[in-house]
Amino acid sequence: MNKLYVLNHKMNLQYEELEIYLKKLNELSTKNQIILSPSTLYLDYCRKNTKYHLCAQNAYYQEKGAYTGEVSFKQLKSLNIKYAIIGHSERRNIFKESDEIINEKVKSCIQNGIIPIICIGESKEERNNNNHLTKIEKQITSSLEQTTPKEVIIAYEPIWSIGTGTIPEKEELTQMIEHIHNILTTNYNIEFKILYGGSVDDTNIEQILKINYIDGVLIGGASLKIDVLKNIINK
Ligand code: 13P
């Protein structure tokens, strides 16, 4: 089955670098689906210069008004942006986004017809204390509270795996993805996909995609290196 590859550029690339990157990205071919998530600043440029669907890395839940520096989901919609990452651990930890804020963002995203890519994940400490499964369940249920989405994408990104070069053991990942799948099928009547994110590269992509119920990956650092990405997206 075709897989989904979401490229999260985070706050990387200068404009000239993006121009070069995009030319190379457009030349890649794959039977799989690629979604590009550049810096918000470049969404409009990418819209005009690539065939791939685009994803915002964040947005604010109010539709408009006196919110200096923010961009709304409604504004993203006006650019035809199809996806938005919500609740990335960097937003939760660095920008102190609470479960309540993330829930508001999911609501606004859905209201504007944008498909949310909701990030969830436990810290190393939570896993060591055996709290990882409950943490994940709480993150899913709180993010989807009082919402009726048709479609969501859940990205499981263990915090201890992001940017560290370490990915979960096969058994750890299998258990968690099954857990997420069970929560979604038991409690919600929605179409969903489950992604894995955290240190994905061309050396581990095959083992990750072998795990049952994984529909694709959310790639950070490796998505910026076209040569590595080329190897990843054809697995
Ligand atoms: P890395 O692939 O750089 O570990 O980042 C993962 C991530 O946070 C994607 O959203």
Side-chain angles (χ1 to χ4, degrees), residues 6-10 85 88-90 119 155 157 161-166 196-201 217-223:
V6 183
L7 317 182
N8 180 6
H9 282 185
K10 308 193 180 186
I85 297 173
H88 193 283
S89 64
E90 286 149 17
C119 296
E157 299 205 303
S161 183
I162 296 175
T164 60
T166 305
Y196 167 78
S199 294
V200 174
D201 64 23
V217 284
L218 180 49
I219 314 169
S223 74

mmCIF file with all atom_site columns, all heavy atoms in Angstrom, residues 6-10 85 88-90 119 155 157 161-166 196-201 217-223, ligand 1:
data_model
loop_
_atom_site.group_PDB
_atom_site.id
_atom_site.type_symbol
_atom_site.label_atom_id
_atom_site.label_alt_id
_atom_site.label_comp_id
_atom_site.label_asym_id
_atom_site.label_entity_id
_atom_site.label_seq_id
_atom_site.pdbx_PDB_ins_code
_atom_site.Cartn_x
_atom_site.Cartn_y
_atom_site.Cartn_z
_atom_site.occupancy
_atom_site.B_iso_or_equiv
_atom_site.pdbx_formal_charge
_atom_site.auth_seq_id
_atom_site.auth_comp_id
_atom_site.auth_asym_id
_atom_site.auth_atom_id
_atom_site.pdbx_PDB_model_num
ATOM   1   N N   . VAL A 1 6   ? 5.525  12.896 5.298  1.00 0.00 ? 6   VAL A N   1
ATOM   2   C CA  . VAL A 1 6   ? 5.344  14.321 5.590  1.00 0.00 ? 6   VAL A CA  1
ATOM   3   C C   . VAL A 1 6   ? 6.708  14.909 5.931  1.00 0.00 ? 6   VAL A C   1
ATOM   4   O O   . VAL A 1 6   ? 7.415  14.412 6.823  1.00 0.00 ? 6   VAL A O   1
ATOM   5   C CB  . VAL A 1 6   ? 4.349  14.532 6.757  1.00 0.00 ? 6   VAL A CB  1
ATOM   6   C CG1 . VAL A 1 6   ? 4.123  16.026 6.990  1.00 0.00 ? 6   VAL A CG1 1
ATOM   7   C CG2 . VAL A 1 6   ? 3.020  13.829 6.476  1.00 0.00 ? 6   VAL A CG2 1
ATOM   8   N N   . LEU A 1 7   ? 7.063  15.965 5.196  1.00 0.00 ? 7   LEU A N   1
ATOM   9   C CA  . LEU A 1 7   ? 8.399  16.556 5.348  1.00 0.00 ? 7   LEU A CA  1
ATOM   10  C C   . LEU A 1 7   ? 8.292  17.811 6.202  1.00 0.00 ? 7   LEU A C   1
ATOM   11  O O   . LEU A 1 7   ? 7.784  18.836 5.751  1.00 0.00 ? 7   LEU A O   1
ATOM   12  C CB  . LEU A 1 7   ? 8.965  16.907 3.959  1.00 0.00 ? 7   LEU A CB  1
ATOM   13  C CG  . LEU A 1 7   ? 8.770  15.849 2.847  1.00 0.00 ? 7   LEU A CG  1
ATOM   14  C CD1 . LEU A 1 7   ? 9.433  16.327 1.557  1.00 0.00 ? 7   LEU A CD1 1
ATOM   15  C CD2 . LEU A 1 7   ? 9.314  14.490 3.268  1.00 0.00 ? 7   LEU A CD2 1
ATOM   16  N N   . ASN A 1 8   ? 8.746  17.715 7.437  1.00 0.00 ? 8   ASN A N   1
ATOM   17  C CA  . ASN A 1 8   ? 8.664  18.848 8.362  1.00 0.00 ? 8   ASN A CA  1
ATOM   18  C C   . ASN A 1 8   ? 10.002 19.593 8.380  1.00 0.00 ? 8   ASN A C   1
ATOM   19  O O   . ASN A 1 8   ? 10.957 19.149 9.016  1.00 0.00 ? 8   ASN A O   1
ATOM   20  C CB  . ASN A 1 8   ? 8.309  18.330 9.770  1.00 0.00 ? 8   ASN A CB  1
ATOM   21  C CG  . ASN A 1 8   ? 8.219  19.464 10.781 1.00 0.00 ? 8   ASN A CG  1
ATOM   22  O OD1 . ASN A 1 8   ? 8.309  20.635 10.419 1.00 0.00 ? 8   ASN A OD1 1
ATOM   23  N ND2 . ASN A 1 8   ? 8.059  19.110 12.051 1.00 0.00 ? 8   ASN A ND2 1
ATOM   24  N N   . HIS A 1 9   ? 10.028 20.702 7.689  1.00 0.00 ? 9   HIS A N   1
ATOM   25  C CA  . HIS A 1 9   ? 11.274 21.477 7.607  1.00 0.00 ? 9   HIS A CA  1
ATOM   26  C C   . HIS A 1 9   ? 11.611 22.221 8.887  1.00 0.00 ? 9   HIS A C   1
ATOM   27  O O   . HIS A 1 9   ? 12.709 22.741 9.019  1.00 0.00 ? 9   HIS A O   1
ATOM   28  C CB  . HIS A 1 9   ? 11.174 22.495 6.467  1.00 0.00 ? 9   HIS A CB  1
ATOM   29  C CG  . HIS A 1 9   ? 11.382 21.897 5.112  1.00 0.00 ? 9   HIS A CG  1
ATOM   30  N ND1 . HIS A 1 9   ? 11.440 22.654 3.966  1.00 0.00 ? 9   HIS A ND1 1
ATOM   31  C CD2 . HIS A 1 9   ? 11.551 20.609 4.718  1.00 0.00 ? 9   HIS A CD2 1
ATOM   32  C CE1 . HIS A 1 9   ? 11.634 21.860 2.920  1.00 0.00 ? 9   HIS A CE1 1
ATOM   33  N NE2 . HIS A 1 9   ? 11.684 20.620 3.346  1.00 0.00 ? 9   HIS A NE2 1
ATOM   34  N N   . LYS A 1 10  ? 10.649 22.319 9.785  1.00 0.00 ? 10  LYS A N   1
ATOM   35  C CA  . LYS A 1 10  ? 10.816 23.126 11.007 1.00 0.00 ? 10  LYS A CA  1
ATOM   36  C C   . LYS A 1 10  ? 11.293 24.531 10.600 1.00 0.00 ? 10  LYS A C   1
ATOM   37  O O   . LYS A 1 10  ? 10.922 25.012 9.530  1.00 0.00 ? 10  LYS A O   1
ATOM   38  C CB  . LYS A 1 10  ? 11.765 22.432 11.988 1.00 0.00 ? 10  LYS A CB  1
ATOM   39  C CG  . LYS A 1 10  ? 11.328 20.975 12.251 1.00 0.00 ? 10  LYS A CG  1
ATOM   40  C CD  . LYS A 1 10  ? 12.004 20.327 13.401 1.00 0.00 ? 10  LYS A CD  1
ATOM   41  C CE  . LYS A 1 10  ? 11.480 18.894 13.554 1.00 0.00 ? 10  LYS A CE  1
ATOM   42  N NZ  . LYS A 1 10  ? 11.978 18.206 14.728 1.00 0.00 ? 10  LYS A NZ  1
ATOM   43  N N   . ILE A 1 85  ? 0.136  20.651 10.879 1.00 0.00 ? 85  ILE A N   1
ATOM   44  C CA  . ILE A 1 85  ? 0.672  19.924 12.027 1.00 0.00 ? 85  ILE A CA  1
ATOM   45  C C   . ILE A 1 85  ? 0.191  20.649 13.282 1.00 0.00 ? 85  ILE A C   1
ATOM   46  O O   . ILE A 1 85  ? 0.280  21.877 13.364 1.00 0.00 ? 85  ILE A O   1
ATOM   47  C CB  . ILE A 1 85  ? 2.226  19.911 11.996 1.00 0.00 ? 85  ILE A CB  1
ATOM   48  C CG1 . ILE A 1 85  ? 2.733  19.155 10.760 1.00 0.00 ? 85  ILE A CG1 1
ATOM   49  C CG2 . ILE A 1 85  ? 2.789  19.301 13.273 1.00 0.00 ? 85  ILE A CG2 1
ATOM   50  C CD1 . ILE A 1 85  ? 4.249  19.228 10.555 1.00 0.00 ? 85  ILE A CD1 1
ATOM   51  N N   . HIS A 1 88  ? 2.881  19.654 17.880 1.00 0.00 ? 88  HIS A N   1
ATOM   52  C CA  . HIS A 1 88  ? 4.230  19.095 17.838 1.00 0.00 ? 88  HIS A CA  1
ATOM   53  C C   . HIS A 1 88  ? 4.877  19.300 19.207 1.00 0.00 ? 88  HIS A C   1
ATOM   54  O O   . HIS A 1 88  ? 4.626  20.312 19.872 1.00 0.00 ? 88  HIS A O   1
ATOM   55  C CB  . HIS A 1 88  ? 5.049  19.803 16.743 1.00 0.00 ? 88  HIS A CB  1
ATOM   56  C CG  . HIS A 1 88  ? 6.328  19.085 16.438 1.00 0.00 ? 88  HIS A CG  1
ATOM   57  N ND1 . HIS A 1 88  ? 7.417  19.165 17.262 1.00 0.00 ? 88  HIS A ND1 1
ATOM   58  C CD2 . HIS A 1 88  ? 6.679  18.259 15.417 1.00 0.00 ? 88  HIS A CD2 1
ATOM   59  C CE1 . HIS A 1 88  ? 8.394  18.417 16.752 1.00 0.00 ? 88  HIS A CE1 1
ATOM   60  N NE2 . HIS A 1 88  ? 7.967  17.857 15.632 1.00 0.00 ? 88  HIS A NE2 1
ATOM   61  N N   . SER A 1 89  ? 5.720  18.373 19.625 1.00 0.00 ? 89  SER A N   1
ATOM   62  C CA  . SER A 1 89  ? 6.300  18.477 20.981 1.00 0.00 ? 89  SER A CA  1
ATOM   63  C C   . SER A 1 89  ? 7.128  19.755 21.136 1.00 0.00 ? 89  SER A C   1
ATOM   64  O O   . SER A 1 89  ? 7.256  20.291 22.242 1.00 0.00 ? 89  SER A O   1
ATOM   65  C CB  . SER A 1 89  ? 7.139  17.250 21.320 1.00 0.00 ? 89  SER A CB  1
ATOM   66  O OG  . SER A 1 89  ? 8.241  17.170 20.459 1.00 0.00 ? 89  SER A OG  1
ATOM   67  N N   . GLU A 1 90  ? 7.658  20.275 20.006 1.00 0.00 ? 90  GLU A N   1
ATOM   68  C CA  . GLU A 1 90  ? 8.389  21.551 20.108 1.00 0.00 ? 90  GLU A CA  1
ATOM   69  C C   . GLU A 1 90  ? 7.419  22.694 20.424 1.00 0.00 ? 90  GLU A C   1
ATOM   70  O O   . GLU A 1 90  ? 7.771  23.628 21.138 1.00 0.00 ? 90  GLU A O   1
ATOM   71  C CB  . GLU A 1 90  ? 9.168  21.793 18.800 1.00 0.00 ? 90  GLU A CB  1
ATOM   72  C CG  . GLU A 1 90  ? 10.383 20.868 18.711 1.00 0.00 ? 90  GLU A CG  1
ATOM   73  C CD  . GLU A 1 90  ? 10.784 20.447 17.310 1.00 0.00 ? 90  GLU A CD  1
ATOM   74  O OE1 . GLU A 1 90  ? 10.361 21.086 16.332 1.00 0.00 ? 90  GLU A OE1 1
ATOM   75  O OE2 . GLU A 1 90  ? 11.519 19.441 17.188 1.00 0.00 ? 90  GLU A OE2 1
ATOM   76  N N   . CYS A 1 119 ? 0.220  15.668 16.609 1.00 0.00 ? 119 CYS A N   1
ATOM   77  C CA  . CYS A 1 119 ? 1.410  14.995 17.136 1.00 0.00 ? 119 CYS A CA  1
ATOM   78  C C   . CYS A 1 119 ? 1.221  14.646 18.606 1.00 0.00 ? 119 CYS A C   1
ATOM   79  O O   . CYS A 1 119 ? 0.738  15.457 19.400 1.00 0.00 ? 119 CYS A O   1
ATOM   80  C CB  . CYS A 1 119 ? 2.634  15.895 17.006 1.00 0.00 ? 119 CYS A CB  1
ATOM   81  S SG  . CYS A 1 119 ? 3.070  16.252 15.314 1.00 0.00 ? 119 CYS A SG  1
ATOM   82  N N   . ALA A 1 155 ? 0.303  11.541 14.457 1.00 0.00 ? 155 ALA A N   1
ATOM   83  C CA  . ALA A 1 155 ? 1.739  11.278 14.311 1.00 0.00 ? 155 ALA A CA  1
ATOM   84  C C   . ALA A 1 155 ? 2.318  10.957 15.683 1.00 0.00 ? 155 ALA A C   1
ATOM   85  O O   . ALA A 1 155 ? 2.339  11.824 16.569 1.00 0.00 ? 155 ALA A O   1
ATOM   86  C CB  . ALA A 1 155 ? 2.439  12.489 13.705 1.00 0.00 ? 155 ALA A CB  1
ATOM   87  N N   . GLU A 1 157 ? 5.251  10.656 17.853 1.00 0.00 ? 157 GLU A N   1
ATOM   88  C CA  . GLU A 1 157 ? 6.642  11.104 17.877 1.00 0.00 ? 157 GLU A CA  1
ATOM   89  C C   . GLU A 1 157 ? 7.141  11.088 19.324 1.00 0.00 ? 157 GLU A C   1
ATOM   90  O O   . GLU A 1 157 ? 6.922  12.066 20.060 1.00 0.00 ? 157 GLU A O   1
ATOM   91  C CB  . GLU A 1 157 ? 6.759  12.534 17.339 1.00 0.00 ? 157 GLU A CB  1
ATOM   92  C CG  . GLU A 1 157 ? 6.312  12.713 15.915 1.00 0.00 ? 157 GLU A CG  1
ATOM   93  C CD  . GLU A 1 157 ? 6.993  13.910 15.261 1.00 0.00 ? 157 GLU A CD  1
ATOM   94  O OE1 . GLU A 1 157 ? 6.876  15.036 15.779 1.00 0.00 ? 157 GLU A OE1 1
ATOM   95  O OE2 . GLU A 1 157 ? 7.654  13.705 14.243 1.00 0.00 ? 157 GLU A OE2 1
ATOM   96  N N   . SER A 1 161 ? 13.008 10.556 20.860 1.00 0.00 ? 161 SER A N   1
ATOM   97  C CA  . SER A 1 161 ? 13.505 10.072 19.571 1.00 0.00 ? 161 SER A CA  1
ATOM   98  C C   . SER A 1 161 ? 13.733 11.212 18.573 1.00 0.00 ? 161 SER A C   1
ATOM   99  O O   . SER A 1 161 ? 14.414 11.033 17.566 1.00 0.00 ? 161 SER A O   1
ATOM   100 C CB  . SER A 1 161 ? 12.483 9.073  19.015 1.00 0.00 ? 161 SER A CB  1
ATOM   101 O OG  . SER A 1 161 ? 12.958 8.534  17.828 1.00 0.00 ? 161 SER A OG  1
ATOM   102 N N   . ILE A 1 162 ? 13.150 12.379 18.875 1.00 0.00 ? 162 ILE A N   1
ATOM   103 C CA  . ILE A 1 162 ? 13.240 13.496 17.924 1.00 0.00 ? 162 ILE A CA  1
ATOM   104 C C   . ILE A 1 162 ? 14.654 14.083 17.912 1.00 0.00 ? 162 ILE A C   1
ATOM   105 O O   . ILE A 1 162 ? 15.145 14.545 18.951 1.00 0.00 ? 162 ILE A O   1
ATOM   106 C CB  . ILE A 1 162 ? 12.194 14.578 18.262 1.00 0.00 ? 162 ILE A CB  1
ATOM   107 C CG1 . ILE A 1 162 ? 10.787 14.001 18.099 1.00 0.00 ? 162 ILE A CG1 1
ATOM   108 C CG2 . ILE A 1 162 ? 12.388 15.817 17.393 1.00 0.00 ? 162 ILE A CG2 1
ATOM   109 C CD1 . ILE A 1 162 ? 9.669  14.937 18.520 1.00 0.00 ? 162 ILE A CD1 1
ATOM   110 N N   . GLY A 1 163 ? 15.287 14.021 16.758 1.00 0.00 ? 163 GLY A N   1
ATOM   111 C CA  . GLY A 1 163 ? 16.609 14.621 16.591 1.00 0.00 ? 163 GLY A CA  1
ATOM   112 C C   . GLY A 1 163 ? 17.739 13.928 17.344 1.00 0.00 ? 163 GLY A C   1
ATOM   113 O O   . GLY A 1 163 ? 18.840 14.466 17.465 1.00 0.00 ? 163 GLY A O   1
ATOM   114 N N   . THR A 1 164 ? 17.490 12.719 17.852 1.00 0.00 ? 164 THR A N   1
ATOM   115 C CA  . THR A 1 164 ? 18.519 12.044 18.670 1.00 0.00 ? 164 THR A CA  1
ATOM   116 C C   . THR A 1 164 ? 19.218 10.909 17.943 1.00 0.00 ? 164 THR A C   1
ATOM   117 O O   . THR A 1 164 ? 20.232 10.402 18.405 1.00 0.00 ? 164 THR A O   1
ATOM   118 C CB  . THR A 1 164 ? 17.875 11.444 19.941 1.00 0.00 ? 164 THR A CB  1
ATOM   119 O OG1 . THR A 1 164 ? 16.875 10.481 19.528 1.00 0.00 ? 164 THR A OG1 1
ATOM   120 C CG2 . THR A 1 164 ? 17.246 12.510 20.812 1.00 0.00 ? 164 THR A CG2 1
ATOM   121 N N   . GLY A 1 165 ? 18.646 10.465 16.829 1.00 0.00 ? 165 GLY A N   1
ATOM   122 C CA  . GLY A 1 165 ? 19.225 9.311  16.133 1.00 0.00 ? 165 GLY A CA  1
ATOM   123 C C   . GLY A 1 165 ? 18.756 7.983  16.723 1.00 0.00 ? 165 GLY A C   1
ATOM   124 O O   . GLY A 1 165 ? 19.126 6.918  16.240 1.00 0.00 ? 165 GLY A O   1
ATOM   125 N N   . THR A 1 166 ? 17.943 8.044  17.771 1.00 0.00 ? 166 THR A N   1
ATOM   126 C CA  . THR A 1 166 ? 17.452 6.814  18.413 1.00 0.00 ? 166 THR A CA  1
ATOM   127 C C   . THR A 1 166 ? 15.983 6.614  18.067 1.00 0.00 ? 166 THR A C   1
ATOM   128 O O   . THR A 1 166 ? 15.172 7.531  18.245 1.00 0.00 ? 166 THR A O   1
ATOM   129 C CB  . THR A 1 166 ? 17.540 6.951  19.960 1.00 0.00 ? 166 THR A CB  1
ATOM   130 O OG1 . THR A 1 166 ? 18.869 7.289  20.290 1.00 0.00 ? 166 THR A OG1 1
ATOM   131 C CG2 . THR A 1 166 ? 17.131 5.668  20.661 1.00 0.00 ? 166 THR A CG2 1
ATOM   132 N N   . TYR A 1 196 ? 4.654  7.594  12.050 1.00 0.00 ? 196 TYR A N   1
ATOM   133 C CA  . TYR A 1 196 ? 5.709  7.603  13.075 1.00 0.00 ? 196 TYR A CA  1
ATOM   134 C C   . TYR A 1 196 ? 6.665  8.738  12.744 1.00 0.00 ? 196 TYR A C   1
ATOM   135 O O   . TYR A 1 196 ? 6.980  8.978  11.564 1.00 0.00 ? 196 TYR A O   1
ATOM   136 C CB  . TYR A 1 196 ? 6.485  6.270  13.098 1.00 0.00 ? 196 TYR A CB  1
ATOM   137 C CG  . TYR A 1 196 ? 7.735  6.432  13.930 1.00 0.00 ? 196 TYR A CG  1
ATOM   138 C CD1 . TYR A 1 196 ? 7.661  6.425  15.316 1.00 0.00 ? 196 TYR A CD1 1
ATOM   139 C CD2 . TYR A 1 196 ? 8.979  6.726  13.330 1.00 0.00 ? 196 TYR A CD2 1
ATOM   140 C CE1 . TYR A 1 196 ? 8.785  6.684  16.087 1.00 0.00 ? 196 TYR A CE1 1
ATOM   141 C CE2 . TYR A 1 196 ? 10.097 6.984  14.092 1.00 0.00 ? 196 TYR A CE2 1
ATOM   142 C CZ  . TYR A 1 196 ? 9.996  6.958  15.466 1.00 0.00 ? 196 TYR A CZ  1
ATOM   143 O OH  . TYR A 1 196 ? 11.104 7.235  16.225 1.00 0.00 ? 196 TYR A OH  1
ATOM   144 N N   . GLY A 1 197 ? 7.134  9.438  13.770 1.00 0.00 ? 197 GLY A N   1
ATOM   145 C CA  . GLY A 1 197 ? 8.153  10.469 13.574 1.00 0.00 ? 197 GLY A CA  1
ATOM   146 C C   . GLY A 1 197 ? 9.200  10.410 14.674 1.00 0.00 ? 197 GLY A C   1
ATOM   147 O O   . GLY A 1 197 ? 8.900  10.073 15.828 1.00 0.00 ? 197 GLY A O   1
ATOM   148 N N   . GLY A 1 198 ? 10.439 10.754 14.312 1.00 0.00 ? 198 GLY A N   1
ATOM   149 C CA  . GLY A 1 198 ? 11.552 10.744 15.266 1.00 0.00 ? 198 GLY A CA  1
ATOM   150 C C   . GLY A 1 198 ? 12.740 10.021 14.674 1.00 0.00 ? 198 GLY A C   1
ATOM   151 O O   . GLY A 1 198 ? 12.728 8.796  14.557 1.00 0.00 ? 198 GLY A O   1
ATOM   152 N N   . SER A 1 199 ? 13.734 10.804 14.212 1.00 0.00 ? 199 SER A N   1
ATOM   153 C CA  . SER A 1 199 ? 14.991 10.248 13.689 1.00 0.00 ? 199 SER A CA  1
ATOM   154 C C   . SER A 1 199 ? 14.802 9.288  12.509 1.00 0.00 ? 199 SER A C   1
ATOM   155 O O   . SER A 1 199 ? 15.585 8.345  12.338 1.00 0.00 ? 199 SER A O   1
ATOM   156 C CB  . SER A 1 199 ? 15.788 9.563  14.799 1.00 0.00 ? 199 SER A CB  1
ATOM   157 O OG  . SER A 1 199 ? 16.208 10.517 15.749 1.00 0.00 ? 199 SER A OG  1
ATOM   158 N N   . VAL A 1 200 ? 13.766 9.524  11.710 1.00 0.00 ? 200 VAL A N   1
ATOM   159 C CA  . VAL A 1 200 ? 13.579 8.686  10.506 1.00 0.00 ? 200 VAL A CA  1
ATOM   160 C C   . VAL A 1 200 ? 14.678 9.027  9.507  1.00 0.00 ? 200 VAL A C   1
ATOM   161 O O   . VAL A 1 200 ? 14.944 10.210 9.242  1.00 0.00 ? 200 VAL A O   1
ATOM   162 C CB  . VAL A 1 200 ? 12.197 8.950  9.861  1.00 0.00 ? 200 VAL A CB  1
ATOM   163 C CG1 . VAL A 1 200 ? 12.066 8.202  8.541  1.00 0.00 ? 200 VAL A CG1 1
ATOM   164 C CG2 . VAL A 1 200 ? 11.074 8.564  10.812 1.00 0.00 ? 200 VAL A CG2 1
ATOM   165 N N   . ASP A 1 201 ? 15.327 8.001  8.960  1.00 0.00 ? 201 ASP A N   1
ATOM   166 C CA  . ASP A 1 201 ? 16.303 8.233  7.889  1.00 0.00 ? 201 ASP A CA  1
ATOM   167 C C   . ASP A 1 201 ? 16.320 7.034  6.947  1.00 0.00 ? 201 ASP A C   1
ATOM   168 O O   . ASP A 1 201 ? 15.500 6.122  7.082  1.00 0.00 ? 201 ASP A O   1
ATOM   169 C CB  . ASP A 1 201 ? 17.693 8.581  8.442  1.00 0.00 ? 201 ASP A CB  1
ATOM   170 C CG  . ASP A 1 201 ? 18.302 7.442  9.236  1.00 0.00 ? 201 ASP A CG  1
ATOM   171 O OD1 . ASP A 1 201 ? 17.909 6.273  9.018  1.00 0.00 ? 201 ASP A OD1 1
ATOM   172 O OD2 . ASP A 1 201 ? 19.172 7.712  10.082 1.00 0.00 ? 201 ASP A OD2 1
ATOM   173 N N   . VAL A 1 217 ? 5.405  8.284  7.577  1.00 0.00 ? 217 VAL A N   1
ATOM   174 C CA  . VAL A 1 217 ? 6.337  8.890  8.536  1.00 0.00 ? 217 VAL A CA  1
ATOM   175 C C   . VAL A 1 217 ? 6.331  10.416 8.452  1.00 0.00 ? 217 VAL A C   1
ATOM   176 O O   . VAL A 1 217 ? 6.021  11.002 7.402  1.00 0.00 ? 217 VAL A O   1
ATOM   177 C CB  . VAL A 1 217 ? 7.791  8.381  8.299  1.00 0.00 ? 217 VAL A CB  1
ATOM   178 C CG1 . VAL A 1 217 ? 7.979  6.972  8.830  1.00 0.00 ? 217 VAL A CG1 1
ATOM   179 C CG2 . VAL A 1 217 ? 8.182  8.450  6.833  1.00 0.00 ? 217 VAL A CG2 1
ATOM   180 N N   . LEU A 1 218 ? 6.680  11.012 9.574  1.00 0.00 ? 218 LEU A N   1
ATOM   181 C CA  . LEU A 1 218 ? 6.852  12.465 9.659  1.00 0.00 ? 218 LEU A CA  1
ATOM   182 C C   . LEU A 1 218 ? 8.363  12.673 9.829  1.00 0.00 ? 218 LEU A C   1
ATOM   183 O O   . LEU A 1 218 ? 8.940  12.240 10.830 1.00 0.00 ? 218 LEU A O   1
ATOM   184 C CB  . LEU A 1 218 ? 6.053  12.985 10.857 1.00 0.00 ? 218 LEU A CB  1
ATOM   185 C CG  . LEU A 1 218 ? 6.041  14.458 11.191 1.00 0.00 ? 218 LEU A CG  1
ATOM   186 C CD1 . LEU A 1 218 ? 5.757  15.330 9.990  1.00 0.00 ? 218 LEU A CD1 1
ATOM   187 C CD2 . LEU A 1 218 ? 4.997  14.740 12.275 1.00 0.00 ? 218 LEU A CD2 1
ATOM   188 N N   . ILE A 1 219 ? 8.964  13.296 8.832  1.00 0.00 ? 219 ILE A N   1
ATOM   189 C CA  . ILE A 1 219 ? 10.430 13.348 8.788  1.00 0.00 ? 219 ILE A CA  1
ATOM   190 C C   . ILE A 1 219 ? 10.919 14.767 9.059  1.00 0.00 ? 219 ILE A C   1
ATOM   191 O O   . ILE A 1 219 ? 10.476 15.716 8.408  1.00 0.00 ? 219 ILE A O   1
ATOM   192 C CB  . ILE A 1 219 ? 10.950 12.915 7.388  1.00 0.00 ? 219 ILE A CB  1
ATOM   193 C CG1 . ILE A 1 219 ? 10.230 11.650 6.914  1.00 0.00 ? 219 ILE A CG1 1
ATOM   194 C CG2 . ILE A 1 219 ? 12.451 12.701 7.422  1.00 0.00 ? 219 ILE A CG2 1
ATOM   195 C CD1 . ILE A 1 219 ? 10.492 11.326 5.445  1.00 0.00 ? 219 ILE A CD1 1
ATOM   196 N N   . GLY A 1 220 ? 11.833 14.910 9.987  1.00 0.00 ? 220 GLY A N   1
ATOM   197 C CA  . GLY A 1 220 ? 12.416 16.218 10.287 1.00 0.00 ? 220 GLY A CA  1
ATOM   198 C C   . GLY A 1 220 ? 13.728 16.395 9.538  1.00 0.00 ? 220 GLY A C   1
ATOM   199 O O   . GLY A 1 220 ? 13.744 16.606 8.314  1.00 0.00 ? 220 GLY A O   1
ATOM   200 N N   . GLY A 1 221 ? 14.832 16.274 10.256 1.00 0.00 ? 221 GLY A N   1
ATOM   201 C CA  . GLY A 1 221 ? 16.169 16.546 9.705  1.00 0.00 ? 221 GLY A CA  1
ATOM   202 C C   . GLY A 1 221 ? 16.444 15.910 8.352  1.00 0.00 ? 221 GLY A C   1
ATOM   203 O O   . GLY A 1 221 ? 16.957 16.576 7.436  1.00 0.00 ? 221 GLY A O   1
ATOM   204 N N   . ALA A 1 222 ? 16.088 14.634 8.197  1.00 0.00 ? 222 ALA A N   1
ATOM   205 C CA  . ALA A 1 222 ? 16.421 13.932 6.951  1.00 0.00 ? 222 ALA A CA  1
ATOM   206 C C   . ALA A 1 222 ? 15.641 14.464 5.753  1.00 0.00 ? 222 ALA A C   1
ATOM   207 O O   . ALA A 1 222 ? 16.046 14.260 4.608  1.00 0.00 ? 222 ALA A O   1
ATOM   208 C CB  . ALA A 1 222 ? 16.174 12.428 7.115  1.00 0.00 ? 222 ALA A CB  1
ATOM   209 N N   . SER A 1 223 ? 14.538 15.184 6.014  1.00 0.00 ? 223 SER A N   1
ATOM   210 C CA  . SER A 1 223 ? 13.751 15.693 4.884  1.00 0.00 ? 223 SER A CA  1
ATOM   211 C C   . SER A 1 223 ? 14.458 16.852 4.182  1.00 0.00 ? 223 SER A C   1
ATOM   212 O O   . SER A 1 223 ? 14.105 17.223 3.067  1.00 0.00 ? 223 SER A O   1
ATOM   213 C CB  . SER A 1 223 ? 12.359 16.137 5.343  1.00 0.00 ? 223 SER A CB  1
ATOM   214 O OG  . SER A 1 223 ? 12.417 17.351 6.050  1.00 0.00 ? 223 SER A OG  1
HETATM 215 P P1  . 13P B 2 .   ? 13.757 14.382 13.261 1.00 0.00 ? 1   13P B P1  1
HETATM 216 O O1  . 13P B 2 .   ? 13.381 13.537 12.079 1.00 0.00 ? 1   13P B O1  1
HETATM 217 O O2  . 13P B 2 .   ? 14.780 15.440 12.946 1.00 0.00 ? 1   13P B O2  1
HETATM 218 O O3  . 13P B 2 .   ? 14.117 13.522 14.449 1.00 0.00 ? 1   13P B O3  1
HETATM 219 O O4  . 13P B 2 .   ? 12.448 15.207 13.665 1.00 0.00 ? 1   13P B O4  1
HETATM 220 C C1  . 13P B 2 .   ? 11.263 14.525 13.842 1.00 0.00 ? 1   13P B C1  1
HETATM 221 C C2  . 13P B 2 .   ? 10.170 15.509 13.946 1.00 0.00 ? 1   13P B C2  1
HETATM 222 O O5  . 13P B 2 .   ? 10.061 16.225 14.924 1.00 0.00 ? 1   13P B O5  1
HETATM 223 C C3  . 13P B 2 .   ? 9.242  15.602 12.805 1.00 0.00 ? 1   13P B C3  1
HETATM 224 O O6  . 13P B 2 .   ? 8.120  16.370 13.132 1.00 0.00 ? 1   13P B O6  1
#
